[in-house]
Amino acid sequence: MVSLLARLPLPGQRDPDARRPWYPGALAAAAALAVSVLGLVGLGLAVVVVQTLDPSGGLPVGGSARVAGQLWLLAQGGGLRLPSGPLVLAPLLLTLAVAWGLSRAARGVVRVADPVGARGAAGVAGSVVAVHVALAVLLALAVDGPGARTDLLRCAAGPAVLAVAAAGWGVLRESGLLDDVLDRLPGAVRAVLPAVLAGLLTALGLGAAVVAVALAADTAGYAAVAGSLGGSGAGAVGLLALGALLLPNAAAAALGVAAGPGFSVGAGTVVSVHGISLGPVPALPLLAALPDTQAVPLLAFVSQAVPALAGLVAGVTLGRRMTDDDGGSVVAGLWGVLTGGLLGLAAGVVAAVAGGSLGDGALADVGAPPVSTALAVAAQAGIAAAVSGAVARWRSPG
């Protein structure tokens, strides 16, 4: 009885470790609000500066703010309904920036508020998601107007999926729950996940390099497209920034060429190693990387090594992370096949996210086909990962 009474707090005494139940949720809501506000302000200022320096006058401040809001929604999977049809194309570099901000916000809240257990961590993630989705819907209503109607369903569902993934990842990492889950998995499974990530980053990095080489080989075409759009130096900077935001999309399209299925920019333009069909495309300088003739360029054939190289990197990562308890080189080779399959699945997801639609007509389908890209990458990367994983495991000290 004495020991029980000793544990009870005295009148006026407070447990310094006790947290108000509303504190983590309120802090998470404030963090989510800060991510959206800071992101929109930064994006809006960039658009305003470009438009203000345009000698032709450009858009007013209100129009520039509306464009920034539309870009923010598109980056999160939102959609616009234009007179020419639906516009659904996420600039993936901005998407990654939003995801990074939400993840860092969730991690910061967990670090400061220290929620108790899985329930508290879920509450933090839920607060971030709820506030972020609510702000996205309000923004969609604010930028809706003649000439560009917002698709409310997509503008709610897209930010919700992105926030769940980003905030969930941040909460799991910072709270240690992710480590607890991984510790319960077999050792080989823990090695597969970073191997798939390493292979995917390698594939996308090489895809971006292919795009850069294609642009460098046709600088005259890039200058011609940029010059045809008019504008000042600020306009050129704006076009360059838009191309940078779409560079991950272009890398995913290049991965489609490397895997074999190719990619399309509408119904009239299809690029693959099996043939090239050229049609009218939007006046975007980044599209100067497209071939000028219907002859398949040498770069497209060279890029065929990308899935195999990504599989090699994934297999080496897998083999080096496996231990003696996980099996020998034969087992590593079998896990390498699975790693290549998961790498193909990840490539298909990226292709699906990177593609979209630029209208109802000839530009209704843009990007690499997700299913065929996933199957092609899985087949090529699986073989390479099996061989390199077995060799790396055989050479690994343990």
Side-chain angles (χ1 to χ4, degrees):
M1 178 63 70
V2 174
S3 61
L4 177 61
L5 293 175
R7 295 193 194 100
L8 296 177
L10 297 175
Q13 183 180 8
R14 233 178 128 182
D15 184 2
D17 293 331
R19 298 284 185 184
R20 294 184 178 93
W22 52 265
Y23 176 67
L27 190 59
L33 176 64
V35 170
S36 294
V37 170
L38 292 177
L40 284 170
V41 169
L43 187 60
L45 287 176
V47 177
V48 167
V49 169
V50 171
Q51 295 295 330
T52 302
L53 297 180
D54 192 333
S56 62
L59 294 173
V61 175
S64 299
R66 186 186 181 199
V67 170
Q70 291 168 344
L71 278 175
W72 183 262
L73 293 173
L74 287 174
Q76 301 178 67
L80 301 175
R81 292 192 297 270
L82 307 178
S84 59
L87 172 59
V88 181
L89 185 66
L92 288 187
L93 191 62
L94 183 56
T95 304
L96 293 174
V98 177
W100 178 84
L102 292 173
S103 177
R104 294 297 300 178
R107 294 187 67 173
V109 171
V110 172
R111 188 182 305 117
V112 173
D114 192 21
V116 179
R119 192 175 203 178
V124 170
S127 297
V128 172
V129 172
V131 172
H132 185 73
V133 173
L135 292 175
V137 172
L138 291 176
L139 179 63
L141 294 173
V143 301
D144 185 42
R149 314 296 300 190
T150 54
D151 187 339
L152 282 178
L153 180 60
R154 293 191 64 97
C155 290
V161 173
L162 182 66
V164 167
W169 173 261
V171 167
L172 289 175
R173 283 289 306 273
E174 191 64 32
S175 64
L177 294 175
L178 180 62
D179 295 332
D180 294 340
V181 172
L182 292 178
D183 288 341
R184 298 176 183 177
L185 298 176
V189 176
R190 293 199 301 271
V192 166
L193 300 179
V196 172
L197 179 60
L200 182 61
L201 293 177
T202 300
L204 292 177
L206 292 175
V210 169
V211 174
V213 171
L215 283 174
D218 193 12
T219 53
Y222 184 96
V225 175
S228 66
L229 297 176
S232 63
V237 173
L239 291 173
L240 183 63
L242 180 59
L245 292 179
L246 292 171
L247 183 58
N249 303 69
L255 182 57
V257 175
F263 69 90
S264 61
V265 186
T269 301
V270 179
V271 179
S272 72
V273 292
H274 308 295
I276 292 177
S277 175
L278 299 176
V281 296
L284 182 65
L286 182 63
L287 295 179
L290 292 172
D292 295 328
T293 66
Q294 293 186 345
V296 180
L298 177 62
L299 182 61
F301 290 106
V302 174
S303 69
Q304 299 298 287
V306 169
L309 291 174
L312 288 174
V313 172
V316 169
T317 305
L318 173 71
R320 289 180 175 177
R321 286 178 173 268
M322 292 180 65
T323 63
D324 289 337
D325 296 334
D326 302 326
S329 58
V330 175
V331 175
L334 295 176
W335 280 107
V337 175
L338 176 62
T339 300
L342 293 177
L343 176 56
L345 177 62
V349 172
V350 171
V353 173
S357 173
L358 298 177
D360 279 332
L363 295 176
D365 186 17
V366 176
V371 176
S372 53
T373 299
L375 293 175
V377 171
Q380 301 172 60
I383 297 173
V387 174
S388 61
V391 173
R393 180 68 194 96
W394 174 63
R395 294 176 59 88
S396 177

